Amino acid sequence: MLDGGLDVLDVLLIAIDIALVWFVVYKLIMLIQGTKAVQLLKGIFVVLGIWLLSNLFGLSTLRWLMSQAITWGFLAIIILFQPELRRALEQLGRGSFFSRTTGEEEDTDKSIQAIIKSCNYMAKRRIGALITIERETGMGDYVETGIPIGGQLSSELLTNIFIPNTPLHDGAVILKEDKIIAAACYLPLSESPFISKELGTRHRAAMGISEVTDAVTIIVSEETGGISCTKNGELHRQLDQEKLEEILKSELDYRSKTPAAKSWNWRGKKNG
């Protein structure tokens, strides 16, 4: 029996309780990381901060406004976070919410090399391509807009999908782990006014999907043969094989993430 009437079992249960809460919070943060929900979450913290300050300094009108915002905030959160909440429930239903990150368990090197080989082949022949790699954020809604494939990822299969005048060449291919999930998928177009006017639909679609998910998307331009990549609303153009491989390994192969790789600067040259 410890001081205060707590025995060892009580302390152990409290520790387990706190650990489980922190684990759930951590998984929720990982779930919304790289999505628009992060900005919404920051806004909620700003409102709470203003409410606390208004209470501290006795600002009655501001306190009343913030109280109203908090009172209706629960409903607003359900509306604003609807895609993320649905995604969390879907993952919980699949039993994958508490699972380890796929990249930590699977060897992704073969997949990365297959993607690079395919992109280089298509770039030399100016075959347009749009390849989206699913990460933590589920992409089921976008997979449903295309044609299911479910095939093992290989450079030959990936290249063949984008051969001009074939049924699946128009649209995006969605990859998950070492599988080609679907082809001819429709992605949301970015409405950002900062995208260069010279860029076409593929680049806008790649930017669009990067703004709503944490997916990494590769674009091969059929006009120039240039290879570009998007992630988190950032567009990086004119990538050579070495730079593309560096990005893919940094973002997809968790085994090879060194401190330097983790801080790889995505905020490099934009739209040019």
Side-chain angles (χ1 to χ4, degrees):
M1 180 74 69
L2 300 177
D3 292 340
L6 291 177
D7 56 22
V8 176
L9 182 58
D10 291 332
V11 173
L12 182 61
L13 290 175
I14 291 172
I16 293 174
D17 188 25
I18 294 174
L20 287 174
V21 170
W22 275 109
F23 181 71
V24 171
V25 171
Y26 169 77
K27 296 301 291 187
L28 289 173
I29 293 174
M30 292 297 102
L31 182 68
I32 68 172
Q33 186 178 27
T35 70
K36 291 187 294 185
V38 174
Q39 301 302 321
L40 296 174
L41 196 59
K42 291 179 181 178
I44 291 173
F45 283 128
V46 169
V47 171
L48 290 175
I50 295 174
W51 178 77
L52 290 173
L53 289 174
S54 65
N55 276 295
L56 181 64
F57 293 104
L59 305 175
S60 56
T61 304
L62 184 60
R63 181 172 65 246
W64 180 83
L65 288 174
M66 292 301 101
S67 297
Q68 293 301 309
I70 294 173
T71 300
W72 293 98
F74 182 74
L75 179 61
I77 288 173
I78 294 177
I79 296 172
L80 295 175
F81 284 77
Q82 184 267 337
E84 284 72 24
L85 291 173
R86 183 178 64 181
R87 190 177 304 120
L89 292 174
E90 288 175 349
Q91 291 192 12
L92 185 62
R94 294 195 302 265
S96 61
F97 185 78
F98 296 103
S99 62
R100 296 180 60 190
T101 304
T102 301
E104 295 175 335
E105 300 174 348
E106 299 294 334
D107 182 6
T108 59
D109 186 64
K110 289 178 65 176
S111 297
I112 290 173
Q113 294 306 318
I115 294 169
I116 293 172
K117 181 179 178 181
S118 177
C119 289
N120 286 335
Y121 180 94
M122 292 186 287
K124 290 178 181 178
R125 292 157 180 81
R126 297 194 178 184
I127 299 173
L130 184 60
I131 304 167
T132 296
I133 307 168
E134 178 180 324
R135 301 181 69 206
E136 291 293 321
T137 305
M139 297 185 63
D141 291 344
Y142 307 107
V143 169
E144 291 175 0
T145 66
I147 306 299
I149 301 296
Q152 183 72 31
L153 172 61
S154 67
S155 61
E156 293 80 9
L157 178 56
L158 189 58
T159 300
N160 192 65
I161 289 174
F162 290 108
I163 295 298
N165 302 319
T166 57
L168 301 179
H169 86 282
D170 191 19
V173 162
I174 296 179
L175 309 180
K176 182 177 181 181
E177 302 176 22
D178 59 348
K179 295 290 191 300
I180 299 178
I181 303 302
C185 300
Y186 292 98
L187 303 183
L189 299 181
S190 173
E191 297 180 0
S192 172
F194 303 107
I195 300 178
S196 174
K197 299 297 183 183
E198 69 184 54
L199 299 178
T201 304
R202 284 193 182 92
H203 289 82
R204 285 194 170 273
M207 283 292 289
I209 196 65
S210 74
E211 292 167 356
V212 298
T213 73
D214 63 348
V216 176
T217 302
I218 305 167
I219 315 101
V220 179
S221 171
E222 61 181 326
E223 287 80 17
T224 66
I227 299 176
S228 306
C229 190
T230 64
K231 178 183 178 292
N232 289 339
E234 300 280 348
L235 171 64
H236 301 270
R237 302 175 60 189
Q238 305 303 325
L239 301 176
D240 56 22
Q241 178 175 339
E242 289 73 22
K243 183 60 68 176
L244 179 60
E245 183 173 1
E246 177 186 344
I247 293 172
L248 292 178
K249 284 189 174 181
S250 174
E251 298 301 323
L252 305 178
D253 191 352
Y254 293 82
R255 296 177 300 103
S256 64
K257 278 192 173 182
T258 62
K262 288 182 180 179
S263 61
W264 192 88
N265 184 15
W266 274 92
R267 302 187 180 275
K269 188 176 180 182
K270 282 189 191 179
N271 304 334

